[in-house]
Each structure stands twice: as C-alpha cells, then as structure tokens.
C-alpha cells in the first residue's frame, strides 16, 4: 500500500492500492461467472424467443395453449431438452446475479455466506424439481372418463 501525504500533513492510502493481496492460485471463479453470465444471456435470448414464438405465434396462438398442448410438447425429447436447458440456464443465471448483488451489498461475512448458500440451495432444488417434472411428466391422469382429448389419447 502506497502512502502519500495529505494537505494537513497526515498520510493517507493511495486510492488505487488494493485492500487485499491479489490471489494468484487456483481458478478465477469471478471471471468464469462473468463469462457464464454473458454466454447464458445470449443463449437464453435465443431459447426464450424461440419458446415464445412457437407457443404464441404458431398454431392457434395463445388460445391453443392448454394441458393437451403442454402434454404434446413434453412428449417430444426435443422440447423436453429445450425447456430443461432454458430452466437450467435461467436459474443458474438468476442465482449468479443474485449472488453478485449479495456480495456487493451485504457487509457482514456470515450473513453473506448464509445468503449465498441459500441462493444456491434454492436454485439447485428448483433445478432438480423442474427437471423431474419435465422428464417424468405423464399426461395420462387416472380415471379420465370425461370425453376429453386426453381421455381419447390415454385410453385407446
């Protein structure tokens, strides 16, 4: 740290001097987090606008979205992976953004650690549940006898 004399004769630290020594070993996680935010942001734009275009512009538009429409999409591995990729990228992107905000504004070290852990645990739980829903979705609800389209599909 460089000290320079102030006008009143006291010495103050150079404002550009680092407060802590620069870490030189191991992976730079902040750099990779920054790169992830940019890459996932670009991918999310493509995935989200593709999702909106297919759901709202093709076919019957907003009026065609119902349980049968979602069941039809989740029957296709392409759309399952599209939605899971969108889910994973969005949740990790959001959790990483919240982590950055917590790191910037929470001053108490223990509180910051608890909040960051809570963020990642919540994101992990939502990723797990969302992935399970997408890949284990079964549109055939037991006791379908109301004459709906699903009843025809599930009970041939």
């Amino acid at each position: 740290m460089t000290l320079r004399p102030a006008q009143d004769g006291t010495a103050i630290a150079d404002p550009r001097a680092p407060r802590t020594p620069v870490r030189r070993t191991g992976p730079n996680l902040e750099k990779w987090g920054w790169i992830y935010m940019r890459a996932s942001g670009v991918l999310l734009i493509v995935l989200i606008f593709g999702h909106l275009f297919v759901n709202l512009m093709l076919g019957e538009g907003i009026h065609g979205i119902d349980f049968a429409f979602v069941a039809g999409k989740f029957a296709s591995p392409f759309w399952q992976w599209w939605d899971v990729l969108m889910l994973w990228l969005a949740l990790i992107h959001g959790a990483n953004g919240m982590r950055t905000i917590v790191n910037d504004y929470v001053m108490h070290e223990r509180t910051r650690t608890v909040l960051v852990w809570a963020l990642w645990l919540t994101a992990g739980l939502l990723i797990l549940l969302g992935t399970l829903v997408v890949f284990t979705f079964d549109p055939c609800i037991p006791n379908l006898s109301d004459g709906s389209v699903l009843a025809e599909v599930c009970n041939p």
Side-chain angles (χ1 to χ4, degrees):
M1 177 168 31
T2 307
L3 295 178
R4 56 189 173 105
Q7 289 178 353
D8 63 357
T10 60
I12 61 174
D14 186 354
R16 290 179 183 82
R19 285 190 259 179
T20 58
V22 178
R23 185 166 80 58
R24 299 273 182 213
T25 61
N28 186 347
L29 295 179
E30 287 298 323
K31 177 182 84 171
W32 288 109
W34 185 87
I35 291 170
Y36 174 82
M37 294 299 277
R38 273 66 191 166
S40 67
V42 170
L43 264 169
L44 279 167
I45 288 172
V46 172
L47 291 169
I48 290 168
F49 280 110
H51 174 84
L52 290 173
F53 179 77
V54 167
N55 289 342
L56 302 178
M57 306 299 270
L58 298 180
E60 298 175 37
I62 188 80
H63 303 292
I65 298 177
D66 57 6
F67 185 80
F69 177 81
V70 174
K73 276 188 75 177
F74 281 170
S76 164
F78 175 80
W79 288 113
Q80 285 178 332
W81 283 105
W82 183 286
D83 287 347
V84 163
L85 184 60
M86 192 167 46
L87 172 82
W88 277 64
L89 288 173
L91 282 170
I92 295 170
H93 185 96
N96 195 35
M98 289 300 296
R99 179 195 61 84
T100 302
I101 292 170
V102 167
N103 285 341
D104 286 348
Y105 291 105
V106 177
M107 297 301 156
H108 191 261
E109 183 67 32
R110 187 159 180 91
T111 305
R112 183 172 38 247
T113 302
V114 167
L115 288 174
V116 168
W117 271 95
L119 279 170
W120 289 119
L121 288 173
T122 303
L125 178 67
L126 290 173
I127 286 171
L128 177 68
L129 291 175
T131 303
L132 284 171
V133 166
V134 169
F135 287 120
T136 63
F137 181 77
D138 183 11
C140 297
I141 301 169
N143 302 323
L144 281 176
S145 59
D146 61 356
S148 68
V149 174
L150 286 176
E152 294 173 15
V153 171
C154 296
N155 303 321

